Amino acid sequence: MAGDDPVGIAERRISAAQVRAALHRLTPDQQQVIALKFLEGLSSQEVADVLEKPVGAVKALQHRALSALRRQLAAEDKERVVA
Amino acid sequence: MSADLIDALDLMIERLNAGEDIGSTLTSNPGRAQPLDPLLEMVTMLQVLRPVEMPSREALAADRNSFLANLNRLQRQSVSPGPLVRLKVWIAQQFPRDAIGPIFQQKEQRRMSVLLLKATLIIGMMFGSAGGAVALADNSLPGSPLYPAKLAIEQTRMSVTSDPAEQAALHMTLAQVRVREIERVALSGEVADDAVMQRLQTHLEQALRLAAGLSDDEMLGMLTQAGQLLRAQEQELLQIQNRVTGPAQEPLRQASRLLNRARQAVEAGLQDPQAFRRGQGEPGANPDCPCTDCEPNQDCGQNQNQNQNRNQNQNQPAGPSVPTTSLDGTCPDCVPAGDEHRYGPQPGQAGPGGPGGNPDCPDCVPEGDENQYGPQPDQAGPGGPGGNPDCPDCVPEGDENQYGPQPDQPGPGEPGGNTDGTCAGCEPEGDQHQNGQQPEQPGDGAGDGAPPGDGPSSGSQGDSAEDGGGQGGQQGDSSGH
């Protein structure tokens, strides 16, 4: 796998740091949904139960959080290229 | 943002978490691939943040035990030599093998040592035999097969010596070698070859000639050493002469004479270095001729008779001039140093009287002989002061040049020459030039004595031989006494 070589490991660590930094810039609800959904491996229903929100709202938060992460990482990529 | 898009995204995320990849997930709903693809990429990146599952305690303990087991196995299989082996190798590298002993010598090194030993033996045999031949030649005597090799070695030594001082010292050393050869030959009851004597003479002359070309300090040092060496060799020759009888003594005497003359030259050089230099640097020296001060192309063999006369006169007291360069006295025509005008002693020729010519007045100097033109002992000359043993102080009238007495050889025309001895100061009439009688010249009255102008002696023309002395040339003056 490409991720096992040193270059892959380095890229992954950089990505992890960037993603973690981008997560901190999300709203608390979005951070909770992302953490429970993708870090803890819960399903949308389980996240909804934990957050005591409707499943639809969790899915909507999930979509908005992924879109926000994408925008922030894209913006960081543009800044890195310009620099 | 429609609910369908949100539901499709959630559905695809579920499938990604189930293990599917993005491509297969998107193919299931290609109409939503355009907006969901970037989001699915973000889902993949978020999976990096998932915590790694820690292994169980049992698994950790098993891994640790396996690691320690491998560590022990690697320690037993060391990739470098052990400490003792490393120490031995270090000692073998730092110290010579001879000091360590044969324990560290390996098979190949023993073979190499054997080769070296063989090479050493071969080289030793080759050069050892040559060295033995040289040693044998060193002890060879004239006439032996190795003697030419000895001379060649000496010549080689001389050729490789470039310093004049060293050459002079080497000549003295070789002269000593020649003397030893003469001694050994004489002790064996044989007569040394004349060539050995010639070589001895050549070495002595060359040594003196080279010494004359040195600086003052070097020359004096060289002459001092040469004088000591010559004196010791003379004494040694004298002792051996007493042990040898018969014809074997003659080479010893000749060698002793050569050494004696060389020593006299050395001593004169110590007293008057400049005169010594002139004597040794005399022009006309022919290195190829044993008579080094003879004229070039001169045939010294033609002068054997004169040489004998000169040899007979060699015991005469030394004059003020430095001894001639030639040590053998075989070149009577050679001119002593500084005596270009042949004012010096002329053996066989009557000359003017000089100091010491009169045995009764050894210190007197004839008037007008400021140049010390030297005594002519045993040679009769014109009358001079002291010519008459009865009147040693009388000076014949008109003998202003004091041409000296000729003791023990009264002749006609010589003051006091009359047998009655009563006329001490009388002068033969007409003999104002005091041309005294000429000894060793037949007094036949025919005037066939030494030709006029031959040498400084003005007594070439004898006076009257009327008294029957039978000596002295006769020319004109027959008045007698």
mmCIF file of all heavy atoms in Angstrom, chain A residues 12 15-16 19-20 23 34 37-39 43-44 59-60 62-64 66-67 69-70 73, chain B residues 1 5-7 9-10 13-14 17 36 38-40 42-43 45-51:
data_model
loop_
_atom_site.group_PDB
_atom_site.id
_atom_site.type_symbol
_atom_site.label_atom_id
_atom_site.label_comp_id
_atom_site.label_asym_id
_atom_site.label_seq_id
_atom_site.Cartn_x
_atom_site.Cartn_y
_atom_site.Cartn_z
ATOM 1 N N ARG A 12 0.110 11.382 5.167
ATOM 2 C CA ARG A 12 -1.049 11.081 5.997
ATOM 3 C C ARG A 12 -1.032 11.892 7.295
ATOM 4 O O ARG A 12 -2.059 12.366 7.770
ATOM 5 C CB ARG A 12 -1.078 9.583 6.284
ATOM 6 C CG ARG A 12 -2.414 9.089 6.766
ATOM 7 C CD ARG A 12 -2.537 7.595 6.595
ATOM 8 N NE ARG A 12 -1.462 6.852 7.210
ATOM 9 C CZ ARG A 12 -0.645 6.045 6.554
ATOM 10 N NH1 ARG A 12 -0.745 5.920 5.245
ATOM 11 N NH2 ARG A 12 0.304 5.373 7.183
ATOM 12 N N SER A 15 -1.982 15.354 6.476
ATOM 13 C CA SER A 15 -3.436 15.419 6.250
ATOM 14 C C SER A 15 -4.213 15.332 7.554
ATOM 15 O O SER A 15 -5.199 16.067 7.763
ATOM 16 C CB SER A 15 -3.877 14.286 5.313
ATOM 17 O OG SER A 15 -3.205 14.402 4.107
ATOM 18 N N ALA A 16 -3.739 14.460 8.432
ATOM 19 C CA ALA A 16 -4.429 14.314 9.725
ATOM 20 C C ALA A 16 -4.374 15.606 10.510
ATOM 21 O O ALA A 16 -5.385 16.035 11.127
ATOM 22 C CB ALA A 16 -3.795 13.168 10.519
ATOM 23 N N VAL A 19 -6.685 18.054 8.788
ATOM 24 C CA VAL A 19 -8.107 17.717 9.027
ATOM 25 C C VAL A 19 -8.496 18.036 10.465
ATOM 26 O O VAL A 19 -9.599 18.566 10.734
ATOM 27 C CB VAL A 19 -8.358 16.229 8.701
ATOM 28 C CG1 VAL A 19 -9.757 15.793 9.139
ATOM 29 C CG2 VAL A 19 -8.182 15.971 7.211
ATOM 30 N N ARG A 20 -7.550 17.719 11.387
ATOM 31 C CA ARG A 20 -7.860 17.992 12.798
ATOM 32 C C ARG A 20 -7.988 19.506 13.028
ATOM 33 O O ARG A 20 -8.875 19.967 13.777
ATOM 34 C CB ARG A 20 -6.747 17.428 13.681
ATOM 35 C CG ARG A 20 -7.134 17.375 15.148
ATOM 36 C CD ARG A 20 -6.073 16.713 15.999
ATOM 37 N NE ARG A 20 -5.937 15.299 15.696
ATOM 38 C CZ ARG A 20 -4.892 14.740 15.085
ATOM 39 N NH1 ARG A 20 -3.874 15.499 14.709
ATOM 40 N NH2 ARG A 20 -4.859 13.442 14.841
ATOM 41 N N LEU A 23 -11.258 20.542 11.666
ATOM 42 C CA LEU A 23 -12.375 20.133 12.551
ATOM 43 C C LEU A 23 -12.625 21.146 13.657
ATOM 44 O O LEU A 23 -13.774 21.370 14.068
ATOM 45 C CB LEU A 23 -12.069 18.772 13.155
ATOM 46 C CG LEU A 23 -12.387 17.542 12.303
ATOM 47 C CD1 LEU A 23 -11.926 16.270 13.002
ATOM 48 C CD2 LEU A 23 -13.872 17.458 12.000
ATOM 49 N N ILE A 34 -19.275 14.685 13.442
ATOM 50 C CA ILE A 34 -18.111 14.093 12.765
ATOM 51 C C ILE A 34 -17.407 13.136 13.704
ATOM 52 O O ILE A 34 -16.995 12.022 13.306
ATOM 53 C CB ILE A 34 -17.166 15.206 12.286
ATOM 54 C CG1 ILE A 34 -17.836 16.050 11.176
ATOM 55 C CG2 ILE A 34 -15.848 14.645 11.776
ATOM 56 C CD1 ILE A 34 -18.206 15.278 9.922
ATOM 57 N N LYS A 37 -19.594 10.024 14.282
ATOM 58 C CA LYS A 37 -19.875 9.274 13.066
ATOM 59 C C LYS A 37 -18.641 8.584 12.521
ATOM 60 O O LYS A 37 -18.680 7.400 12.189
ATOM 61 C CB LYS A 37 -20.474 10.237 12.008
ATOM 62 C CG LYS A 37 -20.820 9.611 10.678
ATOM 63 C CD LYS A 37 -22.107 8.817 10.749
ATOM 64 C CE LYS A 37 -22.485 8.258 9.347
ATOM 65 N NZ LYS A 37 -23.790 7.635 9.354
ATOM 66 N N PHE A 38 -17.499 9.407 12.420
ATOM 67 C CA PHE A 38 -16.341 8.867 11.703
ATOM 68 C C PHE A 38 -15.205 8.416 12.638
ATOM 69 O O PHE A 38 -14.387 7.607 12.244
ATOM 70 C CB PHE A 38 -15.797 9.933 10.713
ATOM 71 C CG PHE A 38 -16.802 10.295 9.670
ATOM 72 C CD1 PHE A 38 -17.517 11.509 9.745
ATOM 73 C CD2 PHE A 38 -17.080 9.446 8.598
ATOM 74 C CE1 PHE A 38 -18.454 11.839 8.779
ATOM 75 C CE2 PHE A 38 -18.010 9.804 7.639
ATOM 76 C CZ PHE A 38 -18.694 10.989 7.716
ATOM 77 N N LEU A 39 -15.123 8.982 13.838
ATOM 78 C CA LEU A 39 -14.058 8.545 14.754
ATOM 79 C C LEU A 39 -14.524 7.411 15.661
ATOM 80 O O LEU A 39 -13.773 6.466 15.912
ATOM 81 C CB LEU A 39 -13.590 9.738 15.616
ATOM 82 C CG LEU A 39 -13.004 10.937 14.819
ATOM 83 C CD1 LEU A 39 -12.516 12.032 15.772
ATOM 84 C CD2 LEU A 39 -11.894 10.476 13.886
ATOM 85 N N SER A 43 -23.413 4.844 13.877
ATOM 86 C CA SER A 43 -24.295 5.073 12.714
ATOM 87 C C SER A 43 -25.059 6.381 12.929
ATOM 88 O O SER A 43 -25.002 6.992 14.017
ATOM 89 C CB SER A 43 -25.295 3.907 12.562
ATOM 90 O OG SER A 43 -26.126 3.837 13.701
ATOM 91 N N SER A 44 -25.733 6.796 11.875
ATOM 92 C CA SER A 44 -26.489 8.062 11.975
ATOM 93 C C SER A 44 -27.563 7.973 13.056
ATOM 94 O O SER A 44 -27.807 8.950 13.809
ATOM 95 C CB SER A 44 -27.129 8.406 10.628
ATOM 96 O OG SER A 44 -26.133 8.599 9.664
ATOM 97 N N LYS A 59 -27.992 13.880 9.658
ATOM 98 C CA LYS A 59 -27.478 13.731 8.290
ATOM 99 C C LYS A 59 -27.152 15.080 7.684
ATOM 100 O O LYS A 59 -26.171 15.234 6.973
ATOM 101 C CB LYS A 59 -28.515 13.009 7.441
ATOM 102 C CG LYS A 59 -28.693 11.535 7.820
ATOM 103 C CD LYS A 59 -29.730 10.876 6.941
ATOM 104 C CE LYS A 59 -29.898 9.393 7.304
ATOM 105 N NZ LYS A 59 -30.950 8.734 6.481
ATOM 106 N N ALA A 60 -28.071 16.065 8.010
ATOM 107 C CA ALA A 60 -27.802 17.412 7.489
ATOM 108 C C ALA A 60 -26.526 17.986 8.095
ATOM 109 O O ALA A 60 -25.659 18.573 7.405
ATOM 110 C CB ALA A 60 -28.988 18.323 7.785
ATOM 111 N N GLN A 62 -24.079 16.312 9.163
ATOM 112 C CA GLN A 62 -22.974 15.521 8.565
ATOM 113 C C GLN A 62 -22.593 16.090 7.193
ATOM 114 O O GLN A 62 -21.423 16.270 6.882
ATOM 115 C CB GLN A 62 -23.427 14.058 8.430
ATOM 116 C CG GLN A 62 -22.449 13.194 7.682
ATOM 117 C CD GLN A 62 -22.991 11.775 7.550
ATOM 118 O OE1 GLN A 62 -22.689 10.949 8.428
ATOM 119 N NE2 GLN A 62 -23.825 11.532 6.548
ATOM 120 N N HIS A 63 -23.628 16.429 6.392
ATOM 121 C CA HIS A 63 -23.344 16.956 5.066
ATOM 122 C C HIS A 63 -22.692 18.316 5.147
ATOM 123 O O HIS A 63 -21.723 18.604 4.431
ATOM 124 C CB HIS A 63 -24.681 17.029 4.266
ATOM 125 C CG HIS A 63 -24.516 17.490 2.858
ATOM 126 N ND1 HIS A 63 -24.571 18.839 2.488
ATOM 127 C CD2 HIS A 63 -24.257 16.808 1.698
ATOM 128 C CE1 HIS A 63 -24.367 18.947 1.209
ATOM 129 N NE2 HIS A 63 -24.182 17.693 0.691
ATOM 130 N N ARG A 64 -23.222 19.174 6.035
ATOM 131 C CA ARG A 64 -22.633 20.511 6.145
ATOM 132 C C ARG A 64 -21.203 20.457 6.680
ATOM 133 O O ARG A 64 -20.335 21.202 6.240
ATOM 134 C CB ARG A 64 -23.463 21.372 7.120
ATOM 135 C CG ARG A 64 -24.838 21.717 6.575
ATOM 136 C CD ARG A 64 -25.503 22.783 7.466
ATOM 137 N NE ARG A 64 -26.912 22.881 7.169
ATOM 138 C CZ ARG A 64 -27.874 22.319 7.879
ATOM 139 N NH1 ARG A 64 -27.585 21.624 8.977
ATOM 140 N NH2 ARG A 64 -29.131 22.472 7.526
ATOM 141 N N LEU A 66 -18.979 18.008 6.315
ATOM 142 C CA LEU A 66 -18.059 17.525 5.271
ATOM 143 C C LEU A 66 -17.810 18.618 4.237
ATOM 144 O O LEU A 66 -16.669 18.797 3.785
ATOM 145 C CB LEU A 66 -18.661 16.281 4.604
ATOM 146 C CG LEU A 66 -18.713 15.021 5.493
ATOM 147 C CD1 LEU A 66 -19.464 13.897 4.794
ATOM 148 C CD2 LEU A 66 -17.311 14.588 5.895
ATOM 149 N N SER A 67 -18.885 19.335 3.899
ATOM 150 C CA SER A 67 -18.702 20.429 2.929
ATOM 151 C C SER A 67 -17.781 21.498 3.504
ATOM 152 O O SER A 67 -16.880 22.040 2.797
ATOM 153 C CB SER A 67 -20.067 21.031 2.548
ATOM 154 O OG SER A 67 -20.876 20.043 1.914
ATOM 155 N N LEU A 69 -15.452 21.147 5.830
ATOM 156 C CA LEU A 69 -14.056 20.629 5.845
ATOM 157 C C LEU A 69 -13.422 20.709 4.467
ATOM 158 O O LEU A 69 -12.254 21.080 4.326
ATOM 159 C CB LEU A 69 -14.068 19.185 6.332
ATOM 160 C CG LEU A 69 -14.293 18.982 7.838
ATOM 161 C CD1 LEU A 69 -14.433 17.500 8.159
ATOM 162 C CD2 LEU A 69 -13.152 19.585 8.631
ATOM 163 N N ARG A 70 -14.181 20.392 3.473
ATOM 164 C CA ARG A 70 -13.648 20.401 2.116
ATOM 165 C C ARG A 70 -13.265 21.815 1.724
ATOM 166 O O ARG A 70 -12.197 22.031 1.133
ATOM 167 C CB ARG A 70 -14.700 19.838 1.143
ATOM 168 C CG ARG A 70 -14.245 19.800 -0.298
ATOM 169 C CD ARG A 70 -15.311 19.217 -1.199
ATOM 170 N NE ARG A 70 -14.973 19.348 -2.614
ATOM 171 C CZ ARG A 70 -15.218 20.403 -3.327
ATOM 172 N NH1 ARG A 70 -15.850 21.455 -2.774
ATOM 173 N NH2 ARG A 70 -14.869 20.448 -4.605
ATOM 174 N N LEU A 73 -10.059 22.845 3.660
ATOM 175 C CA LEU A 73 -8.828 22.183 3.175
ATOM 176 C C LEU A 73 -8.456 22.696 1.787
ATOM 177 O O LEU A 73 -7.268 22.868 1.480
ATOM 178 C CB LEU A 73 -9.047 20.676 3.146
ATOM 179 C CG LEU A 73 -9.185 20.009 4.550
ATOM 180 C CD1 LEU A 73 -9.500 18.535 4.397
ATOM 181 C CD2 LEU A 73 -7.939 20.219 5.370
ATOM 182 N N MET B 1 -29.852 22.167 -1.021
ATOM 183 C CA MET B 1 -29.456 20.821 -0.585
ATOM 184 C C MET B 1 -30.729 20.012 -0.319
ATOM 185 O O MET B 1 -31.555 20.379 0.509
ATOM 186 C CB MET B 1 -28.620 20.944 0.698
ATOM 187 C CG MET B 1 -28.159 19.592 1.199
ATOM 188 S SD MET B 1 -27.067 19.754 2.596
ATOM 189 C CE MET B 1 -28.113 20.636 3.755
ATOM 190 N N LEU B 5 -30.046 14.097 -1.555
ATOM 191 C CA LEU B 5 -28.582 14.157 -1.606
ATOM 192 C C LEU B 5 -27.980 13.779 -0.257
ATOM 193 O O LEU B 5 -26.957 13.051 -0.172
ATOM 194 C CB LEU B 5 -28.150 15.563 -2.024
ATOM 195 C CG LEU B 5 -26.646 15.747 -2.222
ATOM 196 C CD1 LEU B 5 -26.114 14.846 -3.344
ATOM 197 C CD2 LEU B 5 -26.304 17.213 -2.510
ATOM 198 N N ILE B 6 -28.644 14.262 0.797
ATOM 199 C CA ILE B 6 -28.133 13.963 2.139
ATOM 200 C C ILE B 6 -28.278 12.470 2.419
ATOM 201 O O ILE B 6 -27.342 11.846 2.957
ATOM 202 C CB ILE B 6 -28.888 14.807 3.199
ATOM 203 C CG1 ILE B 6 -28.548 16.283 3.015
ATOM 204 C CG2 ILE B 6 -28.558 14.341 4.607
ATOM 205 C CD1 ILE B 6 -29.355 17.215 3.897
ATOM 206 N N ASP B 7 -29.390 11.924 2.011
ATOM 207 C CA ASP B 7 -29.581 10.474 2.234
ATOM 208 C C ASP B 7 -28.610 9.653 1.397
ATOM 209 O O ASP B 7 -28.061 8.643 1.880
ATOM 210 C CB ASP B 7 -31.039 10.094 1.892
ATOM 211 C CG ASP B 7 -32.054 10.672 2.886
ATOM 212 O OD1 ASP B 7 -31.590 10.974 4.042
ATOM 213 O OD2 ASP B 7 -33.198 10.836 2.542
ATOM 214 N N LEU B 9 -25.665 10.595 0.422
ATOM 215 C CA LEU B 9 -24.334 10.705 1.049
ATOM 216 C C LEU B 9 -24.241 9.779 2.232
ATOM 217 O O LEU B 9 -23.213 9.076 2.426
ATOM 218 C CB LEU B 9 -24.091 12.173 1.495
ATOM 219 C CG LEU B 9 -22.776 12.429 2.244
ATOM 220 C CD1 LEU B 9 -21.559 12.112 1.362
ATOM 221 C CD2 LEU B 9 -22.725 13.883 2.744
ATOM 222 N N ASP B 10 -25.252 9.750 3.037
ATOM 223 C CA ASP B 10 -25.207 8.874 4.228
ATOM 224 C C ASP B 10 -25.125 7.427 3.832
ATOM 225 O O ASP B 10 -24.415 6.630 4.485
ATOM 226 C CB ASP B 10 -26.466 9.150 5.076
ATOM 227 C CG ASP B 10 -26.407 8.410 6.397
ATOM 228 O OD1 ASP B 10 -25.524 8.789 7.253
ATOM 229 O OD2 ASP B 10 -27.154 7.426 6.567
ATOM 230 N N ILE B 13 -21.606 6.659 2.660
ATOM 231 C CA ILE B 13 -20.693 6.598 3.818
ATOM 232 C C ILE B 13 -20.824 5.248 4.504
ATOM 233 O O ILE B 13 -19.810 4.649 4.929
ATOM 234 C CB ILE B 13 -20.983 7.773 4.783
ATOM 235 C CG1 ILE B 13 -20.546 9.100 4.127
ATOM 236 C CG2 ILE B 13 -20.289 7.584 6.118
ATOM 237 C CD1 ILE B 13 -20.969 10.334 4.925
ATOM 238 N N GLU B 14 -22.062 4.780 4.605
ATOM 239 C CA GLU B 14 -22.269 3.468 5.214
ATOM 240 C C GLU B 14 -21.559 2.394 4.420
ATOM 241 O O GLU B 14 -20.968 1.467 4.985
ATOM 242 C CB GLU B 14 -23.778 3.180 5.284
ATOM 243 C CG GLU B 14 -24.544 4.074 6.267
ATOM 244 C CD GLU B 14 -24.135 3.839 7.709
ATOM 245 O OE1 GLU B 14 -23.640 2.718 8.035
ATOM 246 O OE2 GLU B 14 -24.278 4.774 8.523
ATOM 247 N N ASN B 17 -17.803 2.601 4.995
ATOM 248 C CA ASN B 17 -17.451 2.000 6.297
ATOM 249 C C ASN B 17 -17.551 0.481 6.243
ATOM 250 O O ASN B 17 -16.859 -0.203 7.012
ATOM 251 C CB ASN B 17 -18.405 2.528 7.391
ATOM 252 C CG ASN B 17 -18.148 4.000 7.710
ATOM 253 O OD1 ASN B 17 -17.045 4.497 7.492
ATOM 254 N ND2 ASN B 17 -19.171 4.701 8.195
ATOM 255 N N LEU B 36 -21.072 14.346 -4.753
ATOM 256 C CA LEU B 36 -20.707 13.562 -3.571
ATOM 257 C C LEU B 36 -19.263 13.091 -3.571
ATOM 258 O O LEU B 36 -18.754 12.678 -2.531
ATOM 259 C CB LEU B 36 -21.652 12.337 -3.480
ATOM 260 C CG LEU B 36 -23.133 12.651 -3.216
ATOM 261 C CD1 LEU B 36 -23.952 11.351 -3.097
ATOM 262 C CD2 LEU B 36 -23.279 13.464 -1.938
ATOM 263 N N PRO B 38 -16.373 14.744 -3.852
ATOM 264 C CA PRO B 38 -15.471 15.426 -2.900
ATOM 265 C C PRO B 38 -15.798 15.130 -1.452
ATOM 266 O O PRO B 38 -14.881 15.010 -0.612
ATOM 267 C CB PRO B 38 -15.701 16.903 -3.221
ATOM 268 C CG PRO B 38 -16.259 16.919 -4.578
ATOM 269 C CD PRO B 38 -17.085 15.671 -4.711
ATOM 270 N N LEU B 39 -17.044 14.920 -1.180
ATOM 271 C CA LEU B 39 -17.407 14.650 0.214
ATOM 272 C C LEU B 39 -16.946 13.269 0.641
ATOM 273 O O LEU B 39 -16.503 13.083 1.790
ATOM 274 C CB LEU B 39 -18.941 14.774 0.371
ATOM 275 C CG LEU B 39 -19.512 16.185 0.063
ATOM 276 C CD1 LEU B 39 -21.046 16.201 0.220
ATOM 277 C CD2 LEU B 39 -18.889 17.226 0.975
ATOM 278 N N LEU B 40 -17.055 12.343 -0.290
ATOM 279 C CA LEU B 40 -16.547 10.994 0.038
ATOM 280 C C LEU B 40 -15.019 11.009 0.230
ATOM 281 O O LEU B 40 -14.448 10.268 1.033
ATOM 282 C CB LEU B 40 -16.942 10.013 -1.066
ATOM 283 C CG LEU B 40 -18.458 9.730 -1.191
ATOM 284 C CD1 LEU B 40 -18.741 8.794 -2.360
ATOM 285 C CD2 LEU B 40 -18.975 9.129 0.103
ATOM 286 N N MET B 42 -13.468 13.449 1.593
ATOM 287 C CA MET B 42 -13.261 13.943 2.948
ATOM 288 C C MET B 42 -13.528 12.852 3.971
ATOM 289 O O MET B 42 -12.828 12.768 5.015
ATOM 290 C CB MET B 42 -14.212 15.134 3.215
ATOM 291 C CG MET B 42 -13.837 16.377 2.465
ATOM 292 S SD MET B 42 -12.100 16.873 2.781
ATOM 293 C CE MET B 42 -12.128 17.004 4.549
ATOM 294 N N VAL B 43 -14.507 11.976 3.653
ATOM 295 C CA VAL B 43 -14.775 10.849 4.570
ATOM 296 C C VAL B 43 -13.560 9.948 4.666
ATOM 297 O O VAL B 43 -13.172 9.484 5.745
ATOM 298 C CB VAL B 43 -16.028 10.083 4.100
ATOM 299 C CG1 VAL B 43 -16.205 8.798 4.905
ATOM 300 C CG2 VAL B 43 -17.281 10.951 4.217
ATOM 301 N N MET B 45 -10.471 10.865 4.252
ATOM 302 C CA MET B 45 -9.440 11.550 5.038
ATOM 303 C C MET B 45 -9.769 11.511 6.522
ATOM 304 O O MET B 45 -8.850 11.439 7.358
ATOM 305 C CB MET B 45 -9.324 13.014 4.564
ATOM 306 C CG MET B 45 -8.813 13.129 3.131
ATOM 307 S SD MET B 45 -8.703 14.841 2.552
ATOM 308 C CE MET B 45 -7.462 15.460 3.642
ATOM 309 N N LEU B 46 -11.019 11.548 6.850
ATOM 310 C CA LEU B 46 -11.385 11.491 8.270
ATOM 311 C C LEU B 46 -11.092 10.130 8.896
ATOM 312 O O LEU B 46 -10.913 10.035 10.114
ATOM 313 C CB LEU B 46 -12.896 11.815 8.416
ATOM 314 C CG LEU B 46 -13.264 13.292 8.212
ATOM 315 C CD1 LEU B 46 -14.779 13.477 8.245
ATOM 316 C CD2 LEU B 46 -12.644 14.155 9.310
ATOM 317 N N GLN B 47 -10.968 9.130 8.054
ATOM 318 C CA GLN B 47 -10.665 7.800 8.596
ATOM 319 C C GLN B 47 -9.237 7.741 9.176
ATOM 320 O O GLN B 47 -8.916 6.878 9.991
ATOM 321 C CB GLN B 47 -10.827 6.750 7.510
ATOM 322 C CG GLN B 47 -12.288 6.514 7.117
ATOM 323 C CD GLN B 47 -12.430 5.496 6.001
ATOM 324 O OE1 GLN B 47 -11.434 5.059 5.430
ATOM 325 N NE2 GLN B 47 -13.678 5.121 5.693
ATOM 326 N N VAL B 48 -8.400 8.722 8.707
ATOM 327 C CA VAL B 48 -7.030 8.786 9.266
ATOM 328 C C VAL B 48 -7.085 9.117 10.749
ATOM 329 O O VAL B 48 -6.216 8.693 11.531
ATOM 330 C CB VAL B 48 -6.225 9.843 8.490
ATOM 331 C CG1 VAL B 48 -4.860 10.009 9.070
ATOM 332 C CG2 VAL B 48 -6.156 9.491 7.045
ATOM 333 N N LEU B 49 -8.104 9.831 11.136
ATOM 334 C CA LEU B 49 -8.181 10.260 12.524
ATOM 335 C C LEU B 49 -8.723 9.180 13.453
ATOM 336 O O LEU B 49 -8.768 9.410 14.664
ATOM 337 C CB LEU B 49 -9.086 11.510 12.631
ATOM 338 C CG LEU B 49 -8.594 12.735 11.834
ATOM 339 C CD1 LEU B 49 -9.587 13.896 11.993
ATOM 340 C CD2 LEU B 49 -7.231 13.160 12.315
ATOM 341 N N ARG B 50 -9.087 8.076 12.870
ATOM 342 C CA ARG B 50 -9.623 7.012 13.727
ATOM 343 C C ARG B 50 -8.531 6.470 14.641
ATOM 344 O O ARG B 50 -7.394 6.291 14.217
ATOM 345 C CB ARG B 50 -10.194 5.858 12.892
ATOM 346 C CG ARG B 50 -11.519 6.221 12.221
ATOM 347 C CD ARG B 50 -12.118 5.012 11.551
ATOM 348 N NE ARG B 50 -13.434 5.296 11.000
ATOM 349 C CZ ARG B 50 -14.186 4.412 10.359
ATOM 350 N NH1 ARG B 50 -13.732 3.199 10.135
ATOM 351 N NH2 ARG B 50 -15.402 4.740 9.924
ATOM 352 N N PRO B 51 -8.837 6.209 15.900
ATOM 353 C CA PRO B 51 -7.820 5.685 16.820
ATOM 354 C C PRO B 51 -7.406 4.289 16.451
ATOM 355 O O PRO B 51 -8.201 3.494 15.954
ATOM 356 C CB PRO B 51 -8.538 5.740 18.171
ATOM 357 C CG PRO B 51 -9.966 5.679 17.865
ATOM 358 C CD PRO B 51 -10.149 6.378 16.541
#
